[in-house]
Amino acid sequence: MDALTLARAQFGFTIAFHYIFPPLSIGLGLILVLMEGASYFTRKPLYLEMARFWARIFGLIFAMGVATGVVMEFEFGTNWAAYSRFVGDVFGSALAAEGVFAFFLESGFLALLLFGWNRISRGTHFFATAMVALGAHFSAVWIVVANSWQQTPAGYHLVGTPAGGTRAEVASFWEAVLNPSTLSRVWHVYMGAWQAGAFAVLSVSAYYLLKKKKNRDFAQSSLKIALLVAATASLLQLVSGHESAKVVSQTQPAKLAAFEGHYETAPAGMYLLGWVDEKNQQTHGLSVPGLLSWLVTGKTGAPVTGLDAFAPDRRPPVNFVFQTYHAMVGIGMALIAIAWGGLFLWWRGRLFGTRWYLTLLVWSVLLPQAANQLGWFSAEVGRQPYVVYNLMKTSDALSKTVKAGEIMASLILFGFIYLLLFILFIYLLNDKIQHGLHMKAEQGRRA
């Protein structure tokens, strides 16, 4: 393989592995606030111990997120130097804001969250937990801002470089931050993260109930809180996904056409499943006629821009984007069914005694992770062949001096190290889960 393909594979691998952890920390941060808030206002020890247990899980996930996130910033300089020169002024502003306004906030209060039990007052500890959760959410904002600018550039102008090239320079910071796709994508990411955290809690809680371990009250209460978050986020994700698709239809029509394998500019249906024959420019599958037109324009007969409006070298890999997008949507619908099915069982008084449903919850932890990964694949591959939409092609972003052999060697090394990290993560996570909850007296707790 050539250097470009290997560099893309390496960056895709490292960011996909890293993206396991930030959504979990964002979602768990929200749930920690709910649990500790319940403890603060009800004074029930059970909620406090629930928060203590999940805080230990949060600390492990945060550490993994930091360790795997550092690598990507080095890749910008080694593999993507041309890209870094072009977007450095814009991208650097967002990353600097993430460090100042988000990472320092989250990591600064994390020490109080993890080690402040029985050392600081209830109110101070609750405040620290809220700040950690807020920092995790702020972090997502600035990362999404940076990525959204690549999707829908705004608030910039191009200036010359001493070498004779051009680079993007910030003309309006807030226009760059609030570019056309930022807000819809931030909420879409948040809902995916809330589901990731909620279904992680649901999985562990259901496991405890199935194994008939001690502290059933803990498992049942954790499951109820997480189920409410999952049910809310799953429906809001549907709304945010619709809004994101409408923005894509206006700003990246080639991507939207690839989502549905839509070649001819005409009224468009929406496929439930299918396959794209890119050679013959045909899509085969089961579709609902006029649905895509209605969703993006409000009229079933309105034309939707097709891939025929773009030269072949300006189209993304259509079948790959089609499959990842539809798999993401399918998983999203399944998560709605699982969460709201749980609410129905809760209403009927059968939530904790339905073993098949608890077993489903144990394995459901994988679904939000898969949906989040597939969503990123759809968004990033759907932008191709551009790394910055309509401004810079991915092939022009590669470092000129990097060699394929060097990238291959580092890719193999990263793969080995990440495998060890993942094994260590699973081992430590399993150890904490198997150790379970041990109620402790609140001696020394200040009022």
Side-chain angles (χ1 to χ4, degrees), residues 378-394:
S378 301
E380 302 311 301
V381 178
R383 185 183 65 221
Q384 299 303 314
Y386 296 100
V387 65
V388 181
Y389 195 64
N390 283 338
L391 288 181
M392 187 181 205
K393 287 192 172 183
T394 305

Side-chain angles (χ1 to χ4, degrees), residues 375-412:
W376 276 107
F377 292 159
S378 301
E380 302 311 301
V381 178
R383 185 183 65 221
Q384 299 303 314
Y386 296 100
V387 65
V388 181
Y389 195 64
N390 283 338
L391 288 181
M392 187 181 205
K393 287 192 172 183
T394 305
S395 56
D396 297 327
L398 187 68
S399 300
K400 305 305 180 186
T401 58
V402 70
K403 301 294 189 295
E406 297 169 342
I407 301 175
M408 176 63 80
S410 62
L411 178 57
I412 293 172

Side-chain angles (χ1 to χ4, degrees), residues 191-215:
M191 295 308 105
W194 289 5
Q195 288 181 89
F199 277 91
V201 176
L202 288 172
S203 177
V204 175
S205 301
Y207 170 78
Y208 284 151
L209 292 172
L210 284 171
K211 295 299 181 180
K212 293 182 169 52
K213 287 181 172 286
K214 296 179 180 179
N215 304 313

Side-chain angles (χ1 to χ4, degrees), residues 15 28 93 113 123 161 200 213 242 249 281 305 310 339 361 372 425:
I15 199 170
L28 276 180
S93 299
L113 168 61
T161 66
K213 287 181 172 286
H242 171 62
S249 72
Q281 299 188 10
T305 303
F310 304 92
L361 287 183
N372 286 334
F425 170 70

Side-chain angles (χ1 to χ4, degrees), residues 229-359:
V229 174
T232 302
S234 63
L235 277 187
L236 290 177
Q237 184 69 300
L238 189 62
V239 176
S240 69
H242 171 62
E243 292 302 316
S244 292
K246 288 179 67 175
V247 172
V248 169
S249 72
Q250 299 163 6
T251 59
Q252 296 176 292
K255 179 190 288 188
L256 182 72
F259 282 169
E260 289 298 332
H262 181 58
Y263 277 95
E264 182 182 357
T265 300
M270 178 171 285
Y271 283 90
L272 303 179
L273 51 89
W275 184 267
V276 180
D277 180 356
E278 295 186 58
K279 182 178 179 181
N280 296 308
Q281 299 188 10
Q282 293 180 340
T283 303
H284 308 281
L286 179 63
S287 70
V288 180
L291 183 57
L292 181 62
S293 293
W294 180 75
L295 287 174
V296 299
T297 69
K299 300 177 181 179
T300 57
V304 175
T305 303
L307 290 165
D308 60 0
F310 304 92
D313 64 348
R314 293 183 58 206
R315 301 173 185 173
V318 183
N319 189 55
F320 180 87
V321 174
F322 179 95
Q323 299 302 336
T324 55
Y325 174 75
H326 282 82
M328 176 195 68
V329 172
I331 292 173
M333 299 307 293
L335 291 172
I336 293 174
I338 293 171
W340 284 85
L343 291 182
F344 175 77
L345 291 173
W346 186 358
W347 174 62
R348 296 300 299 271
R350 295 159 46 195
L351 179 59
F352 306 121
T354 307
R355 291 188 62 84
W356 68 263
Y357 181 74
L358 294 176
T359 302

Side-chain angles (χ1 to χ4, degrees), residues 1-196:
M1 288 188 287
D2 60 14
L4 176 62
T5 302
L6 287 169
R8 292 179 66 188
Q10 184 181 65
F11 192 77
F13 167 68
T14 52
I15 199 170
F17 186 82
H18 169 69
Y19 199 58
I20 294 172
F21 306 105
L24 282 172
S25 64
I26 294 170
L28 276 180
L30 171 66
I31 291 175
L32 279 173
V33 170
L34 296 176
M35 290 178 173
E36 192 164 356
S39 168
Y40 181 78
F41 291 108
T42 67
R43 300 288 172 167
K44 291 183 178 180
L46 175 62
Y47 290 122
L48 178 64
E49 293 307 319
M50 287 165 54
R52 291 173 71 116
F53 174 81
W54 289 110
R56 292 194 290 270
I57 303 293
F58 180 93
L60 173 62
I61 292 169
F62 178 84
M64 289 294 297
V66 172
T68 57
V70 172
V71 175
M72 294 180 295
E73 299 193 16
F74 286 101
E75 287 182 64
F76 288 135
T78 57
N79 294 353
W80 303 102
Y83 163 81
S84 298
R85 282 193 294 270
F86 183 77
V87 304
D89 189 62
V90 180
F91 210 82
S93 299
L95 291 184
E98 191 269 339
V100 173
F101 297 117
F103 182 76
F104 287 157
L105 175 65
E106 183 180 9
S107 58
F109 281 98
L110 183 63
L112 293 179
L113 168 61
L114 296 178
F115 306 113
W117 308 103
N118 300 329
R119 293 180 175 86
I120 56 179
S121 70
R122 282 178 175 269
T124 302
H125 196 277
F126 180 36
F127 177 76
T129 302
M131 290 301 100
V132 168
L134 185 63
H137 282 70
F138 275 172
S139 182
V141 169
W142 294 106
I143 297 302
V144 171
V145 163
N147 184 268
S148 294
W149 187 88
Q150 296 177 197
Q151 309 279 348
T152 52
Y156 73 95
H157 61 257
L158 298 178
V159 298
T161 66
T166 60
R167 66 182 181 87
E169 188 176 82
V170 175
S172 170
F173 177 76
W174 289 112
E175 283 186 22
V177 169
L178 298 174
N179 65 75
S181 63
T182 292
L183 295 180
S184 62
R185 298 180 83 240
V186 164
W187 282 109
H188 200 53
V189 167
Y190 278 169
M191 295 308 105
W194 289 5
Q195 288 181 89

